[in-house]
Each structure stands twice: as C-alpha cells, then as structure tokens.
Amino acid sequence: MTIQKPTLRPTTKDLAKAAGVSRATVDRVLNGREGVKQDTVDRVNKAIAGLGFVRNLQAANLAKSQSYRFVFALPRSGDQFLQQIIERIEEADTLFAADHVWCDVHHIDENDPHSISSYLGSLSKDDVSGVAIMSPETPQVRDAITRLQERGVAALPFISNQTMMDAHWVGIDNCAAGATAGLLLGQFVGARRGSVMVIAESMQSRDSMERRMGFDKEINENFPHLHALPSLETYGQAERARSVISTNLRANPDTVGIYVMASEARIPLSVLKELDVAPSIIKIAHERTPFTQQALRDRILDGVIAQDAGHLVRSAIRRLKGIVDRRQTLGSQENIRIEILLRTNIQADRREQDQGRQASTSD
C-alpha cells in the first residue's frame, strides 16, 4: 500500500513564482501597502486563488508584534442584559490573549447621536484597531462610521443594526426573532380570542421595528383571532412603564397575551407583577438575564427569545479581526442563533452555556 504524503501548503515563494513577481512585492500586497500597481495586485490575488494560499496570520502577527485593540461602544444606560455583555467582553481578554487581542468598553449616550459621532470622530488607527458599535441608526452615526472606516479603523454594528452595513454586523435576525415570538405566543394562547399588548423601550430603534414587523406578520397570517395593539414605549423608565401598561390593560380587558420586545424586560415584567396580571395572560420576552430566568421559574413569564451574549462578543471580535486582517471569517461560526427558553430547559441550557465559555470553538 502506498502512503501518500500530505500536500504542503503553498508559500509566499510559490505565490511570487506563480504571479511572476518578487517575494517583497507579494509581502506588500498581502499587507495592503501602497506602491504596487493594480495589475500586479490582480496577478498576486489570482495566484492566491489559484494556489489556495492561506496566510498564517498568527505567525505573521507574532513576527511583527501585531496586536489588536478593539472597543465596544455600548449604551450608557442599561440593565442586566447589557451587564452580561460587559462580563463576556471581560472574559474575552483571556480567551483571545494568545492572538494579542485586547478589548475595552466605552459607554455612549444612545439618545445623543451628536455625542456618539463626536466620540467616533476622535478615534484614529493609532488608538484602536476596530470598534463594535451598539447604537440606534441615525444620519450622524452613519456618517461617523463611514469616516472611521476611511481612517482605516474597522467598524461593525453590534446587536443594533445599521442599514449601510447589513452584511457586516453581529446580532440575530430581528424579523425572524419577532416572528418566533408571535408563533410562540399564538400557540400558547390557543383558540382564545382577544388583544395582544406589545411593549418596547423605543420604536425608533431598528431592532424594535424589525421585531414588530416579524411579530405582526406571524400574528396576522396565522392567528387572525388575535389583535396586536399599537406598541407601548417605556423609554426604560419605571414610572412611564407603570402608567402606559396599567392604562392599556384597563382599556383592553380582553388582553390574552403580552409581548415585551425590549432587550431589557425587567421593568415591564416587574410592573406586570405589581399589577397582579392574570397568569392566564401569555407573556413572551427577549434575552436571557437573571430576571427573565427567575420569571420563567416563577411562571410569571411563559417564554424567552434569546441570543447568546458570549457568542455575540466572540463573533464581534472575530469579525473585527477579520476586517483588520482582510480575511473572511467562517460564516457558520458567526451566525447568531435564535434560542427559545422555557421553564423546562433553562437549567440544562445554562450548564451548556457555562461550558461553552471555556473555548472559542464552542460556537
């Protein structure tokens, strides 16, 4: 029996020979340096594709002491879900230390697009390698992201999407998440007829609008006996939440379901508990937090549509690093799954999540 030796990976020497250029020219093309004619760049790229060349970035980065500093620009105001995101970012420093990746958190005022734009405008390639931005979409933020990229800083939307960057963002498909909430609520309600209350922090955010679109489509097409009411906006304020929710319940005594679209469900769910809302009213919320987990156990909440905080952070880091290195990330690892949590599966799911934090390959 003949044992076939494994094929060696093509090297930069092989690239130079195939492209008819020097190894120095290949190095300039691989590192995106100026001074190389476009025709030469095209020949090198054609050789890369033809030979199946994959650069050993870790070795190259070690050779030139390459390091990455990524900043997560997160809302200044937040609750338990945001805190979990921050904890996962802190864990990532250890997880990605071998790749010389370091992460920081900078808090922004999500309601002040001018201050966000000003902060992004203050960053340069000398300060940071990339920024993951959790912010509502506004013209000011869009322009600031464009200018940031022009200065050579990698940028991507984080959880909150931006229209201009649909192909390069980290988060779940919010239309699908809203539709999943509609399906779950509709099935739990069953044949009962009535109204469905919909609660958001703000309908100005794109994720809220997309969740509402997905939810309405599912309810209208498959549960015509249910009537989804206009969205209530709490702006994250307990007093306002108490006022709008209690008023809505009095005006709609036929309420059979409540959908909390906001990522932070603690305030509206606390209000519903204070108001002693009937257990027969089905309640669906978003995001796994200590509060929503306990609410599931206590049967205050019937289901949670979630996205894994650790996966979100790790995916953002890999995507930013891929942009900096001009290298595609593996799509299957960056697909953020929509998870459905019920009272019966939260304990087992938590054990799996804890184990998953031990390695980046858990995704």
Side-chain angles (χ1 to χ4, degrees), residues 11-26 44 47 51:
T11 65
T12 54
K13 183 178 179 180
D14 298 322
L15 279 184
K17 183 178 180 181
V21 298
S22 68
R23 291 178 71 179
T25 298
V26 168
V44 172
L51 295 175

Side-chain angles (χ1 to χ4, degrees), residues 45-118:
N45 286 332
K46 185 177 180 180
I48 289 172
L51 295 175
F53 176 82
V54 178
R55 192 180 185 197
N56 188 338
L57 284 170
Q58 190 170 33
N61 289 341
L62 287 172
K64 61 183 180 182
S65 300
Q66 170 73 35
S67 62
Y68 308 81
R69 184 193 168 210
F70 297 137
V71 173
F72 284 79
L74 304 179
R76 185 175 299 154
S77 60
D79 206 343
Q80 295 182 347
F81 180 62
L82 187 62
Q83 183 56 41
Q84 288 189 88
I85 293 292
I86 293 172
E87 289 172 4
R88 301 296 86 78
I89 293 170
E90 292 170 352
E91 290 175 354
D93 268 348
T94 301
L95 190 61
F96 288 91
D99 295 318
H100 291 223
V101 172
W102 315 108
C103 300
D104 294 317
V105 173
H106 179 85
H107 290 288
I108 56 177
D109 183 349
E110 69 275 23
N111 297 314
D112 186 352
H114 295 285
S115 69
I116 298 172
S117 176
S118 177

